[in-house]
Amino acid sequence: MNIKTYLFFSLLVLFQINVFSQSTLTGTIKDSLNNPLANANIIAEPQDSLQRIKFAITSKDGAYRLKLENIRYTITASYMGFKPFVFEVNPSETTVRDIVLQPQAEGLKEVVIEMPIVVKEDTIIYNVDKLVTGEERKLKDVLKKLPGVEVDRDGNITVRGKKVMVMLVENKKFFGGGTKLAVDNIPADAVAQIEVLDNYNEVAFLKNISDSDDMAMNVKLKEDKKNFVFGDIEVGRGNQDFYRAHGNLFYYSPKTNLNAIGNLNNTREQVFTYSQYFDFKGGLNSVFDQGNSDFNASNDDFSQFLESEDVIKSDRKFAALNFSQEVNNSLNLSAYGIFSDTKEKTFVQSINRYNTFTETRELFSETENKLAIGHIKAVYLPNLTDQWYFKTQFKKTDNGYDNTINSVVDTLRNTFLNREDAVGSFFNQTVEWHRKISRHHTFSFGANYTFEERSPRTIWETSDQILRGLIPIVDQSVYRLNQSKRVKNNDFDAIFKYYWVIDKNNHIYSTIGNTYLNHHFFTQDVQQLADEGINDFSGSGFGNDLDFSLNDLFFGLHYKFQLGIFSFDQGVFLHYYHWNVDQDMAISKDKTVLLPSFSAEAKLGQSKEIEFDYDLKTSFSDASQFANRLYLRSYNSVSQGNENLENGLSHNLRLRFTKFSTYRGIRYYVVANYTEQIRGVVNSVNYAGINQSVMPFLVDDPLKQWSGYGNISKKILDIDFSAGLRYNTSKYKQLVNDDLTENKNSSISYNVSGKTLFDNFPIIEVGFRQSFGNYTLSGSKSEFVASEPFLNVDYDFWNGFIVSFDYTAYRYVNKAFNEKNNYEISNASLYYNGENSGWSFELKAQNLFDVQFKNQNSFSSFIISDTRTFILPRIIMFSVGYKL
């Protein structure tokens, strides 16, 4: 019997055991006038204290349904503003009980009953103790138990299909509001409530008048965790000198908050990633919308420094400190600092199919990344109508990258050594003033300055011919190429926004502002000769020294109104752009752009809504794209900018529908997106064997993209079933060897799963994921199929033991080339924490089957890749922890 068959019959047995031992309590909850009470709470508390509490929330018709064991329960029905109704029941098969609630005379008593979930307008409150089972260790384990909440492996949180953008603890941002540090570090036993706040705004009196679409999550702590230091410390030692040490310390009081996180490991555990570094940007409040106008600052210099999840060697050090202090009733100060030092080695084998040839490549790389982030914020509230914000942020990076590339095209074999060192600095200063003049008139003013500098230095070395025909190379036994690059950016924004609330159903917003950018781009490429001489490429069209400036003066007007369940927001931004490109010659251009936008939302009930958004967006390329002289891009690529580029334009449409019904136990959401570029920048690529020269051009209709995703989950008895679907397809133009071609990329994936939620039984999740990819590149087609059956098990037993196990089998097929790859990844742990004991012990196995590598495929503008990435071996680690 294979594992799938075994799991199927195991689940069937568990299902039958629980089905035949359960009963149903149904009915309606109404008021004394026979009106149904929607979202009323009904709680079933077992008189046997070892059994779990059951609860339900009524539908819009006041109906409820409870699945109960065949034991005696005390039932409490409650609703805000009404007296709780309490009765006892010993269910047998199906019991029907209709309930009538009487108005509450004394309003303060209505908060005595703690309801598991409270839904009111744009806020959802989860009372955690009613929804968890007790074996949860971190916040992410708690969130996975909350209906409608999803957490992925990168720490991203979505609620009913919408991403959480800001994380708060006790109403204050946790390390700048990022979610990963919170979900991975906040202890589960410290959490009392989770609040989900839609249309969140940091400025309280702007919440109901600004058009913010941000969602925030606020963690409320248990009372016994306030005014005390709490947290945990854990150290572990494994085979082959693997180790891990992790610590969290938290202190919360009404006026002072302190958080500290530290981690050391060589098991590739990611506490903070380089991609998260870019999310810590600082800057203005989201209410200062600039009308869908963007300047695409490039992070290409840092792309090779991004940490990999799959490595053959890893050494990571991380420390973070977060502090806030209420100085007095008018002044709040907060600050955080983050430091990370990561050393990694990776080994990747790939088959890269270009437009006209195929390359087999081996890449061995070593990276060392050091980064530091500091942030200071002061909030000054002199009175009830004014709020001032002063924010300062700085970032510093020091990165090193070494790699060895073995490339084979047909019978031609080449080896390249590459070394890059990059130092970067970032500084941001923001001042905001928000004032509520009266009930009808409010304004916001913000000024923002950003300075950024990056200075990468790169060395390429090879005994093979390199970039032959593309660079003025001098024949040597060993070729050494050096590049110095410098990017220096100064940006300044000043924006004034005025809110006129005509009445509760009609709002007018006006915005006026100016953005000024001044960016400098410098490159120098030379060949280091054996006699210590220099072959400078500047005489052959290389070497950039570009000053790029852009001024954007804009004015926006938006009208927002509400009609019953519908709300509409339409407006337009007028932008006047003036930019200068100064390199070999000075070029100045002006352009006026009108950017309309429209959104509509229908509240079909407290648990059902539909949203539609449309806007016309414009964007300018990075300054390097305007540099009209050549520079080295990689060991097989030379790039050149184009000073004649202009702004791109694109239509963007989005449709979102969500429904959440606790009565029927069903949750689903659907999101659809469409993007069509009217005008945009594409790269022209010319090949000379493996070598390529790249230059950007502005073309009409370069891209059309459709995407959609959705998820539906349904609780049937004590099994939570879930299914998801994701679809993406795009058509885009590309210039290859001066020939304009249209490429296609389409992919579809789905997942199905079932998770048991039985009392006194393991939580077992069994599922299957599958994805299909179809890529067309210059007439060459590739088809991929990837299948992933998976199993997750969590089981707590014997008052303190928790066993966890996860298993994924990966099956990959490239149909076009009849390539097949299989591997299986599994992890397991046994954890023990005695009752009322601060000590814990864990035995954990990572990569249980000792898999050597993973397989995957990827697709870019002109490459289709099949990749084999090598990973760490099996790790068996024993850890000891202590809770403070």
Side-chain angles (χ1 to χ4, degrees):
M1 181 182 294
N2 60 36
I3 188 169
K4 293 182 184 179
T5 306
Y6 175 77
L7 288 171
F8 174 78
F9 283 108
S10 298
L11 286 173
L12 184 62
V13 170
L14 292 175
F15 176 78
Q16 290 176 335
I17 290 173
N18 280 266
V19 165
F20 292 117
S21 63
Q22 286 189 331
S23 301
T24 305
L25 176 64
T26 63
T28 60
I29 301 178
K30 299 181 179 180
D31 63 13
S32 57
L33 299 177
N34 206 35
N35 297 314
L37 296 177
N39 292 318
N41 276 245
I42 184 161
I43 302 172
E45 185 174 358
Q47 296 187 359
D48 179 356
S49 60
L50 297 179
Q51 300 295 322
R52 289 176 56 189
I53 292 175
K54 306 283 188 176
F55 79 95
I57 298 176
T58 58
S59 68
K60 63 180 180 179
D61 300 321
Y64 71 88
R65 180 188 291 114
L66 278 171
K67 292 294 182 181
L68 304 176
E69 307 297 329
N70 291 330
I71 59 175
R72 195 164 190 82
Y73 288 88
T74 299
I75 310 295
T76 303
S78 60
Y79 192 78
M80 300 292 284
F82 290 80
K83 295 178 183 178
F85 184 83
V86 181
F87 62 96
E88 293 187 355
V89 65
N90 191 354
S92 178
E93 296 183 354
T94 300
T95 302
V96 179
R97 183 68 179 267
D98 295 327
I99 301 169
V100 177
L101 297 184
Q102 301 298 323
Q104 175 67 268
E106 299 178 24
L108 292 178
K109 292 184 179 179
E110 65 189 19
V111 299
V112 173
I113 301 300
E114 185 180 277
M115 295 175 277
I117 304 175
V118 178
V119 181
K120 46 185 181 181
E121 295 184 358
D122 53 6
T123 300
I124 306 172
I125 300 173
Y126 297 93
N127 287 305
V128 169
D129 285 347
K130 305 291 184 182
L131 301 166
V132 298
T133 55
E135 74 272 13
E136 300 80 14
R137 298 170 61 182
K138 297 296 181 182
L139 176 61
K140 62 183 176 184
D141 303 315
V142 172
L143 297 179
K144 290 176 182 179
K145 302 290 181 68
L146 306 184
V149 180
E150 299 175 39
V151 186
D152 66 20
R153 66 178 63 186
D154 296 320
N156 298 309
I157 306 170
T158 56
V159 180
R160 302 184 183 183
K162 188 173 182 180
K163 186 176 180 180
V164 172
M165 304 301 295
V166 181
M167 176 61 74
L168 310 169
V169 177
E170 290 293 319
N171 302 308
K172 293 177 181 168
K173 286 186 178 180
F174 188 81
F175 286 97
T179 58
K180 180 172 174 57
L181 288 177
V183 301
D184 288 342
N185 291 281
I186 296 176
D189 61 2
V191 182
Q193 279 187 342
I194 298 293
E195 294 179 338
V196 178
L197 312 169
D198 205 358
N199 302 315
Y200 168 78
N201 197 300
E202 190 175 4
V203 184
F205 58 71
L206 291 182
K207 177 175 174 58
N208 294 322
I209 60 175
S210 70
D211 49 4
S212 170
D213 193 39
D214 289 346
M215 176 175 280
M217 178 172 284
N218 184 31
V219 178
K220 291 285 191 178
L221 302 176
K222 294 178 179 178
E223 289 300 321
D224 62 357
K225 297 298 182 180
K226 299 177 184 179
N227 298 307
F228 291 97
V229 174
F230 67 93
D232 56 73
I233 300 172
E234 186 177 6
V235 294
R237 183 73 178 184
N239 60 311
Q240 299 186 32
D241 295 326
F242 287 108
Y243 66 87
R244 176 184 183 271
H246 188 87
N248 311 297
L249 294 175
F250 303 92
Y251 175 77
Y252 284 89
S253 71
K255 292 190 175 183
T256 305
N257 297 339
L258 182 65
N259 318 123
I261 300 171
N263 184 282
L264 302 171
N265 77 85
N266 63 354
T267 62
R268 69 133 174 96
E269 178 182 351
Q270 289 185 311
V271 183
F272 188 83
T273 65
Y274 214 97
S275 58
Q276 288 176 277
Y277 166 87
F278 296 112
D279 293 335
F280 284 77
K281 297 177 182 178
L284 293 168
N285 189 298
S286 61
V287 301
F288 294 105
D289 178 30
Q290 299 184 28
N292 304 317
S293 175
D294 296 309
F295 183 83
N296 296 325
S298 173
N299 291 314
D300 288 345
D301 293 332
F302 289 128
S303 59
Q304 65 267 45
F305 301 118
L306 298 179
E307 291 97 336
S308 173
E309 181 182 351
D310 302 316
V311 299
I312 58 173
K313 189 173 183 180
S314 176
D315 184 9
R316 296 176 176 176
K317 302 178 178 67
F318 176 83
L321 182 68
N322 187 53
F323 172 79
S324 65
Q325 175 69 46
E326 183 181 324
V327 180
N328 52 47
N329 292 334
S330 300
L331 181 63
N332 286 272
L333 299 177
S334 62
Y336 63 81
I338 296 173
F339 173 77
S340 175
D341 184 358
T342 301
K343 298 177 182 178
E344 292 181 338
K345 293 183 180 180
T346 62
F347 180 51
V348 178
Q349 296 175 333
S350 59
I351 299 174
N352 302 318
R353 296 177 178 88
Y354 292 80
N355 301 68
T356 56
F357 63 91
T358 298
E359 175 195 27
T360 301
R361 182 194 298 178
E362 289 185 341
L363 174 63
F364 178 84
S365 63
E366 296 184 52
T367 60
E368 180 175 1
N369 300 331
K370 295 180 180 178
L371 64 87
I373 302 174
H375 181 92
I376 302 171
K377 182 173 76 171
V379 182
Y380 178 56
L381 298 86
N383 49 56
L384 296 177
T385 60
D386 290 85
Q387 291 193 23
W388 288 84
Y389 290 82
F390 304 90
K391 293 180 280 187
T392 302
Q393 181 165 287
F394 58 88
K395 300 190 288 189
K396 185 74 175 179
T397 60
D398 187 355
N399 314 106
Y401 177 72
D402 287 279
N403 70 33
T404 301
I405 301 170
N406 295 312
S407 172
V408 180
V409 178
D410 296 327
T411 59
L412 180 63
R413 178 181 295 272
N414 295 279
T415 299
F416 304 93
L417 305 179
N418 175 211
R419 169 70 187 178
E420 180 168 343
D421 296 293
V423 176
S425 301
F426 174 96
F427 173 81
N428 175 259
Q429 179 65 58
T430 301
V431 177
E432 297 180 19
W433 177 27
H434 306 274
R435 184 170 193 179
K436 187 173 185 178
I437 304 171
S438 67
R439 186 165 58 92
H440 296 287
H441 303 283
T442 304
F443 72 78
S444 298
F445 171 78
N448 180 64
Y449 169 72
T450 301
F451 169 80
E452 185 173 13
E453 185 174 23
R454 305 192 298 271
S455 301
R457 298 179 63 86
T458 309
I459 299 173
W460 292 275
E461 183 175 311
T462 181
S463 57
D464 300 308
Q465 293 184 354
I466 182 171
L467 295 169
R468 183 67 65 181
L470 296 179
I471 61 176
I473 198 78
V474 174
D475 287 337
Q476 301 269 278
S477 59
V478 176
Y479 299 97
R480 294 183 178 90
L481 307 181
N482 296 348
Q483 181 186 75
S484 298
K485 185 187 293 185
R486 185 171 64 252
V487 176
K488 185 183 291 185
N489 301 336
N490 287 275
D491 302 347
F492 180 77
D493 302 286
I495 305 174
F496 179 85
K497 189 163 186 176
Y498 172 68
Y499 313 88
W500 179 19
V501 180
I502 302 172
D503 54 45
K504 68 177 183 178
N505 294 324
N506 295 273
H507 298 178
I508 293 178
Y509 310 144
S510 57
T511 306
I512 187 169
N514 193 87
T515 296
Y516 176 74
L517 314 174
N518 183 268
H519 293 184
H520 181 74
F521 179 72
F522 171 86
T523 62
Q524 182 183 35
D525 300 284
V526 302
Q527 179 185 3
Q528 182 76 45
L529 302 178
D531 60 3
E532 302 301 324
I534 296 294
N535 173 24
D536 194 336
F537 298 166
S538 59
S540 301
F542 281 77
N544 288 279
D545 193 357
L546 168 76
D547 282 307
F548 175 85
S549 62
L550 170 70
N551 195 82
D552 175 15
L553 177 65
F554 54 89
F555 173 76
L557 186 65
H558 276 246
Y559 173 47
K560 187 175 182 179
F561 65 95
Q562 187 165 342
L563 293 174
I565 65 172
F566 298 96
S567 61
F568 301 90
D569 186 356
Q570 56 273 308
V572 64
F573 267 83
L574 178 66
H575 289 261
Y576 171 68
Y577 295 105
H578 175 77
W579 67 95
N580 295 294
V581 180
D582 188 2
Q583 185 158 279
D584 294 334
M585 58 181 294
I587 297 176
S588 295
K589 291 187 179 182
D590 302 86
K591 178 168 283 192
T592 301
V593 180
L594 200 64
L595 301 175
S597 64
F598 171 79
S599 66
E601 181 178 354
K603 294 282 189 181
L604 306 176
Q606 286 189 319
S607 60
K608 187 193 306 184
E609 63 181 34
I610 186 169
E611 300 175 9
F612 172 78
D613 300 288
Y614 163 78
D615 50 37
L616 180 64
K617 291 185 177 181
T618 186
S619 62
F620 277 84
S621 298
D622 181 78
S624 64
Q625 296 280 72
F626 290 88
N628 60 11
R629 293 179 67 82
L630 296 163
Y631 61 94
L632 296 176
R633 187 180 183 187
S634 70
Y635 75 96
N636 68 339
S637 176
V638 171
S639 188
Q640 180 180 10
N642 183 349
E643 71 269 27
N644 295 313
L645 295 181
E646 296 185 3
N647 62 299
L649 282 174
S650 63
H651 296 290
N652 299 270
L653 296 91
R654 176 176 176 267
L655 182 67
R656 176 175 175 265
F657 175 74
T658 63
K659 183 176 181 180
F660 180 87
S661 174
T662 53
Y663 168 68
R664 298 187 181 277
I666 189 169
R667 308 177 297 274
Y668 60 86
Y669 61 86
V670 178
V671 179
N673 298 281
Y674 174 71
T675 298
E676 180 179 349
Q677 286 189 353
I678 305 169
R679 184 172 63 250
V681 175
V682 301
N683 282 329
S684 172
V685 182
N686 289 289
Y687 289 102
I690 190 176
N691 300 320
Q692 55 192 265
S693 60
V694 181
M695 184 176 182
F697 282 92
L698 193 70
V699 300
D700 293 330
D701 303 318
L703 172 70
K704 292 181 181 179
Q705 185 174 37
W706 301 263
S707 66
Y709 59 92
N711 182 269
I712 182 170
S713 58
K714 170 72 173 176
K715 185 178 179 182
I716 302 177
L717 299 175
D718 278 333
I719 300 182
D720 196 1
F721 294 95
S722 178
L725 180 69
R726 184 175 293 270
Y727 173 76
N728 181 80
T729 185
S730 60
K731 297 180 180 179
Y732 60 93
K733 295 178 180 177
Q734 182 187 355
L735 282 163
V736 180
N737 294 332
D738 299 320
D739 182 23
L740 186 64
T741 63
E742 184 177 73
N743 297 327
K744 297 179 181 179
N745 167 21
S746 64
S747 62
I748 185 169
S749 62
Y750 69 91
N751 61 275
V752 293
S753 64
K755 180 191 291 186
T756 63
L757 301 173
F758 305 139
D759 292 337
N760 303 318
F761 277 93
I763 297 175
I764 301 175
E765 181 182 18
V766 180
F768 183 77
R769 291 184 288 260
Q770 191 168 49
S771 59
F772 304 87
N774 292 277
Y775 306 143
T776 302
L777 186 65
S778 297
S780 175
K781 295 184 179 180
S782 290
E783 293 185 56
F784 305 94
V785 179
S787 305
E788 294 181 70
F790 63 90
L791 166 69
N792 300 307
V793 179
D794 290 289
Y795 183 38
D796 61 315
F797 59 97
W798 289 354
N799 295 325
F801 284 93
I802 301 174
V803 63
S804 300
F805 175 79
D806 64 80
Y807 167 84
T808 301
Y810 187 88
R811 305 289 183 262
Y812 165 73
V813 178
N814 184 328
K815 290 186 175 181
F817 297 91
N818 196 30
E819 295 175 354
K820 298 180 180 181
N821 291 296
N822 303 324
Y823 66 87
E824 299 173 327
I825 295 292
S826 180
N827 306 288
S829 73
L830 177 63
Y831 175 83
Y832 174 72
N833 176 220
E835 188 174 1
N836 300 321
S837 173
W839 292 97
S840 63
F841 306 91
E842 182 177 27
L843 182 64
K844 186 174 183 178
Q846 179 178 306
N847 189 9
L848 189 61
F849 301 144
D850 201 21
V851 174
Q852 292 184 327
F853 53 81
K854 296 180 180 179
N855 295 94
Q856 61 184 26
N857 69 82
S858 62
F859 180 87
S860 67
S861 299
F862 44 84
I863 304 176
I864 298 174
S865 296
D866 288 310
T867 302
R868 174 181 289 183
T869 304
F870 288 77
I871 63 176
L872 288 172
R874 180 193 297 118
I875 300 174
I876 307 294
M877 182 170 291
F878 178 73
S879 301
V880 179
Y882 183 74
K883 290 184 180 180
L884 300 177

